[in-house]
Amino acid sequence: MKNKAFFILIFAFSIIFSSCSLFTDSFNKPVKGYLKEYTERACISYYKILISDVQTDSNGDLCIPSCQDAEILFYLQNPQNFTFKNGQNMGFELSSLNVEDFSAAEKDNIADLLKKITLIQDENDFAVLRLIYPAEFLVAAEYGHEISPYIQLFHPVSNSSFGIFNPLKLKCNSAPPPVYGPVIYKDIAKGTYVVCLNMPSAGMLSGIHKDIKTLSIENSISKEKTETVVQINNDGTFSLPESSFELGGPDSSLVPSGSDFYEAGQPVIFRTKDAFSDVNTEYIITLSDSGGLFSKVSTSVYTVKLKDVIITDSFQNEIQSGDKISQDEDSSYATLFFTPASTATDNVTGEIKDTSNSQIIFEIYQGENDSGKLLLSGNNSGGRIALKIPSGKIYIRVYAHKNLFADSNLSEFGIEVLKNMLFVSAGGSDSDNNGSENSPFKTISHAISEFSEKTANNRICLLDSISEENIAINESNAKVSIKGRGCEITGNISSNGILSLSDCTVNGNIENSGELTLSGKTRITGEIIFTQNNLFITYLPASDSFEKVADITFKEGTSYTKGARIIVAEPGKTLTHADLSRFSLTSDKYVLKLSDDKTAGYITMSGGEVIPEIGKNIKFSIDKTSCNFGDTLTVSANLIEDDTSVSFTDKMSNWKVKLLNHGSSTGVESSSRQIVIPASETWPADVYTVQINADYENVTYSASFDITVTR
């Protein structure tokens, strides 16, 4: 009996230990054979809003502001690591957005802006979906429009629906900005206090904050509160019906009780009934909108004034009016840092007060003044804040606020963020967008024309494949680097400048008269044409580069002789024979040979194509160029001598036949001269490439053929 119990115990422990992976792996690791219903489905489990100033309106609904792009992360239960792509096996819509609430013009605008909302799966974490509402859409959806996301997920193979997920109810409504510069003055004649403040600018009140409804001021000691309706006019001016409020700043009959009033925007005074006293009375000032969102600040009878906000760039250089600022590396934005002064001094007592946690309150406009488009506005909870500023001319308005202190002076000035990193997408716009990642241009040509300084290290990043007939870089000193991220450019490129292409496919010719660099996984399906003498290609391949990068030809009238460098390594790097074999010279007069120091490929003796040097004219052929899935292809070789073709198939060795799809390996290859096209339901009917390599007398011969595979 004891032996039986012992074996049962051992068996139980073996089950536990063999299941440890259930506890050590994340829930997204496939657990084969465990609850099939669970492992073969995906769903949204929870979300996270990546902006801090989210408020709840009077109906209990979450409201996000329109002052910046809003990003929401959705976390998936996705144990099979399914890949989801919007428009394929993932759908997204704003079912609750009532378009009928908009005017005819607004409806057209909303239709365009809806296309700019992006929903993508994180490329590094299949358990995360990223939803981004661009700020320009949010501005159009202001005043409490519902923008709740509805997301539908499908199985990537069977296309069966995993369900529609509506994880949160969401509205767009920006909370009112705080009033600026509130201080207390004294009405000497009446012996009472007067609250002085600045209401938001006319541009703010005629724009995203036209829904402000009330202004109230409360004595924190007596709790006496006075509220007035804010009646906003179309031009952003306003009236306040309550008689104790007056438009305009303090006149000469009023004197400061502490700090001076700084008039900016639209000043207002409020005459209290509170008599002078030795108590440092606090007044709470609240702006509320129609949705129940509000801002609240306070001031007191005696205040210490905050010092000005310090503004710096990424290199800690202090920003001044008129400065030109470069964008961040690999970004279409420049990051500026806004820091409150760490201390303020009480001029009466000499006491130094800590003000490092003061709030930063900001407005960022596109253009040369505050009549331009409002890009960003809001405030942080205190301390330093970093803001991403888009390219172009920018107008900044910023100050520091701390309750019971007098606001700092208002800093207002213009800068220019140089355009040297721009984004391009087939769905972008050259007329309406600014070239940022969330507002891309449509064409590379327009992006090139928009660079602030042609000789800077200008970069273009493709968000998807594009088609553009002709792309020209005309200036000899113009620098353009195009980062494809695996995308394709269909069209011809002519460059007289300094052009760099990275991780992209150009379906066309490159007519080159300047400097050309190819890096990463890049290929040219047409030709690279050298139009002048002494040109070369700088090449930095990826570890998984295309086996064929480009054909190189020389324009009639150029003179390239033996010893001329054609392919050059980047400084400090070297090349290999395999690197050179990715290029073909379309003229049969030349071959490329690797230099002794392995830093270049240069022209040498005729009689072949690429190193290794070819001594015989051997041509490959395939028995069919159109076939079905499941068919077998057979390769043959022939020796061509004196216009006579002789079968050479049996003399070839080390056969290697691969099947590629648009330059990428399919994983199908053969070590014989036959290759089988897999009978797979998941493979698309398409044009594939058969790539052939075989040896004769220690020399490798190559060829490739396009085939059409149908189902």
Side-chain angles (χ1 to χ4, degrees), residues 402-422:
K402 183 178 175 70
N403 282 337
L404 306 181
F405 284 73
D407 291 343
S408 72
N409 291 328
L410 193 65
S411 296
E412 297 182 279
F413 59 88
I415 61 171
E416 182 179 1
V417 177
L418 299 177
K419 296 179 180 179
N420 51 24
M421 177 66 178
L422 298 173

Side-chain angles (χ1 to χ4, degrees), residues 135-147:
E136 55 186 325
F137 164 77
L138 295 175
V139 169
E142 264 285 358
Y143 321 124
H145 286 291
E146 186 175 345
I147 55 170

Side-chain angles (χ1 to χ4, degrees), residues 368-602:
E368 298 183 353
N369 52 51
D370 63 359
S371 65
K373 178 182 178 182
L374 179 64
L375 300 174
L376 300 169
S377 68
N379 58 271
N380 67 343
S381 58
R384 186 191 200 198
I385 183 175
L387 295 178
K388 291 186 177 297
I389 311 298
S391 59
K393 292 188 181 296
I394 299 295
Y395 186 75
I396 296 173
R397 176 182 288 146
V398 63
Y399 66 94
H401 169 80
K402 183 178 175 70
N403 282 337
L404 306 181
F405 284 73
D407 291 343
S408 72
N409 291 328
L410 193 65
S411 296
E412 297 182 279
F413 59 88
I415 61 171
E416 182 179 1
V417 177
L418 299 177
K419 296 179 180 179
N420 51 24
M421 177 66 178
L422 298 173
F423 289 80
V424 172
S425 167
S429 171
D430 289 343
S431 57
D432 298 330
N433 291 358
N434 61 20
S436 67
E437 187 168 7
N438 293 323
S439 183
F441 291 136
K442 185 176 182 65
T443 64
I444 292 175
S445 295
H446 185 74
I448 292 173
S449 70
E450 284 292 305
F451 286 128
S452 300
E453 296 178 356
K454 303 301 181 186
T455 59
N457 292 320
N458 297 312
R459 294 154 294 160
I460 294 172
C461 185
L462 301 183
L463 298 178
D464 47 39
S465 297
I466 66 164
S467 180
E468 190 171 345
E469 187 172 352
N470 291 299
I471 301 166
I473 303 170
N474 298 318
E475 296 87 349
S476 60
N477 58 353
K479 295 181 181 179
V480 177
S481 175
I482 301 175
K483 186 176 182 179
R485 303 200 298 190
C487 299
E488 298 187 1
I489 303 170
T490 300
N492 297 320
I493 300 175
S494 62
S495 174
N496 190 40
I498 303 168
L499 173 63
S500 175
L501 297 171
S502 173
D503 297 317
C504 63
T505 295
V506 178
N507 296 315
N509 297 329
I510 296 180
E511 192 167 294
N512 183 48
S513 303
E515 298 180 24
L516 177 61
T517 297
L518 304 180
S519 62
K521 198 170 182 179
T522 296
R523 65 174 175 175
I524 317 301
T525 61
E527 296 179 340
I528 297 177
I529 305 166
F530 285 10
T531 63
Q532 296 180 5
N533 294 329
N534 303 317
L535 299 179
F536 57 83
I537 298 168
T538 302
Y539 185 48
L540 181 64
S543 58
D544 59 343
S545 292
F546 293 111
E547 295 195 18
K548 174 65 177 295
V549 173
D551 292 324
I552 302 171
T553 189
F554 310 102
K555 191 173 183 179
E556 187 175 351
T558 59
S559 177
Y560 283 83
T561 58
K562 293 179 181 179
R565 298 184 308 164
I566 301 300
I567 309 297
V568 175
E570 284 198 342
K573 304 289 185 179
T574 58
L575 297 171
T576 66
H577 287 293
D579 294 333
L580 295 186
S581 70
R582 297 185 176 104
F583 296 87
S584 298
L585 302 181
T586 55
S587 170
D588 60 4
K589 297 179 181 179
Y590 306 113
V591 292
L592 290 175
K593 186 173 183 179
L594 188 64
S595 63
D596 291 340
D597 62 3
K598 298 182 180 181
T599 62
Y602 63 91

Side-chain angles (χ1 to χ4, degrees), residues 13 55 80 95 118 169 171 266 283 296 380 385 400 412 443 475 496-498 522 567 573 619 627 629 636 675:
F13 273 109
Q55 290 196 19
Q80 293 290 348
S95 301
T118 59
K169 185 174 183 180
K171 293 179 180 177
Q266 305 190 84
Y283 291 91
K296 184 177 293 188
N380 67 343
I385 183 175
E412 297 182 279
T443 64
E475 296 87 349
N496 190 40
I498 303 168
T522 296
I567 309 297
K573 304 289 185 179
K619 301 292 184 182
C627 59
F629 288 102
S636 301
I675 190 168

Side-chain angles (χ1 to χ4, degrees), residues 163-373:
I164 298 176
F165 303 95
N166 174 222
L168 77 161
K169 185 174 183 180
L170 193 65
K171 293 179 180 177
C172 180
N173 192 13
S174 299
V179 300
Y180 168 65
V183 293
I184 307 301
Y185 268 48
K186 293 179 178 180
D187 186 334
I188 301 299
K190 295 182 179 179
T192 55
Y193 293 122
V194 176
V195 180
C196 305
L197 59 95
N198 290 284
M199 285 284 284
S201 67
M204 298 279 276
L205 294 186
S206 63
I208 64 173
H209 294 299
K210 65 183 180 183
D211 60 340
I212 288 177
K213 292 300 180 186
T214 62
L215 166 65
S216 68
I217 298 180
E218 179 183 1
N219 182 316
S220 65
I221 297 175
S222 68
K223 304 302 180 183
E224 183 176 347
K225 180 178 179 180
T226 303
E227 183 175 278
T228 182
V229 173
V230 181
Q231 298 174 336
I232 300 175
N233 304 314
N234 291 335
D235 62 358
T237 60
F238 59 90
S239 59
L240 304 173
E242 219 290 329
S243 60
S244 54
F245 290 89
E246 300 175 15
L247 302 185
D251 58 25
S252 59
S253 67
L254 304 179
V255 296
S257 66
S259 300
D260 290 335
F261 178 63
Y262 182 91
E263 189 171 313
Q266 305 190 84
V268 169
I269 65 171
F270 168 69
R271 297 185 182 274
T272 77
K273 299 176 181 178
D274 302 327
F276 301 157
S277 72
D278 294 331
V279 178
N280 189 23
T281 305
E282 176 188 357
Y283 291 91
I284 302 169
I285 306 163
T286 305
L287 273 181
S288 301
D289 68 14
S290 57
L293 303 186
F294 62 88
S295 65
K296 184 177 293 188
V297 296
S298 62
T299 187
S300 60
V301 170
Y302 177 72
T303 55
V304 176
K305 189 172 182 64
L306 297 172
K307 296 177 183 177
D308 293 352
V309 174
I310 302 167
I311 308 172
T312 56
D313 63 15
S314 298
F315 302 99
Q316 299 305 305
N317 299 313
E318 193 162 343
I319 302 301
Q320 306 290 338
S321 177
D323 281 353
K324 293 185 177 181
I325 302 165
S326 295
Q327 293 167 314
D328 299 339
E329 185 71 23
D330 291 331
S331 172
S332 56
Y333 297 90
T335 302
L336 296 186
F337 297 90
F338 298 78
T339 308
S342 58
T343 61
T345 302
D346 188 323
N347 293 328
V348 175
T349 66
E351 181 183 358
I352 297 177
K353 297 180 179 291
D354 180 11
T355 59
S356 59
N357 63 343
S358 299
Q359 288 181 292
I360 300 295
I361 300 176
F362 58 88
E363 298 169 24
I364 310 293
Y365 296 86
Q366 188 94 56
E368 298 183 353
N369 52 51
D370 63 359
S371 65
K373 178 182 178 182

